């Protein structure tokens, strides 16, 4: 199954709720996503632009997109970026394919 990187920034309301009721949100979110076939592989709290990052496994792009939409629609996050993670071996294959593509940039 494909892996994805989630980068999440909580809303100020979500932070206030978590201060009032501290809990491991990654555990809760993991159990909420499991019925959709999404598995949380790793998660970390971060400092800076994002509050949480997580590596998740999902059946396909549509499923992870649906989960991203569902989470964002609640207003509990200000930002949720989803990035597909490509194995390095696939990157090497892509580089080999890139050698065969004859692209010409626009000319002024």
């Amino acid at each position: 199954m494909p892996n994805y990187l989630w980068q999440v920034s909580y809303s100020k309301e979500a932070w206030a709720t978590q201060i009032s009721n501290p809990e491991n949100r990654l555990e809760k979110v993991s159990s909420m996503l499991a019925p959709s076939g999404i598995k949380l592989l790793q998660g970390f709290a971060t400092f800076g632009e994002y509050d949480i990052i997580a590596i998740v496994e999902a059946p396909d792009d549509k499923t992870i997109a649906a989960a991203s939409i569902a989470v964002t629609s609640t207003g509990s996050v200000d930002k949720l970026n989803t990035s597909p993670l490509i194995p390095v071996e696939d990157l090497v294959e892509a580089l080999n394919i890139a050698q065969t593509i004859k692209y010409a940039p626009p000319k002024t």
Side-chain angles (χ1 to χ4, degrees):
M1 273 199 281
N3 292 328
Y4 301 87
L5 171 66
W6 260 358
Q7 298 169 291
V8 180
S9 294
Y10 287 126
S11 68
K12 63 183 179 184
E13 295 82 10
W15 273 123
T17 299
Q18 290 182 70
I19 290 170
S20 298
N21 182 26
E23 62 182 352
N24 184 334
R25 287 298 299 165
L26 290 176
E27 289 175 354
K28 296 263 184 172
V29 170
S30 180
S31 63
M32 289 181 231
L33 297 174
S36 299
I38 298 172
K39 182 178 178 184
L40 177 71
L41 301 177
Q42 285 189 298
F44 301 92
T46 62
F47 301 108
E49 186 176 356
Y50 299 100
D51 302 312
I52 296 288
I53 61 165
I55 308 293
V56 296
E57 182 180 75
D60 51 47
D61 291 345
K62 288 183 279 191
T63 304
I64 198 68
S68 298
I69 293 165
V71 170
T72 303
S73 73
T74 67
S76 62
V77 300
D78 285 334
K79 193 182 320 180
L80 191 159
N81 290 329
T82 305
S83 301
L85 299 175
I86 301 168
V88 174
E89 296 80 13
D90 290 353
L91 173 62
V92 172
E93 286 183 37
L95 292 169
N96 287 319
I97 294 168
Q99 290 177 336
T100 69
I101 296 173
K102 305 301 179 207
Y103 173 77
K107 295 180 181 178
T108 57

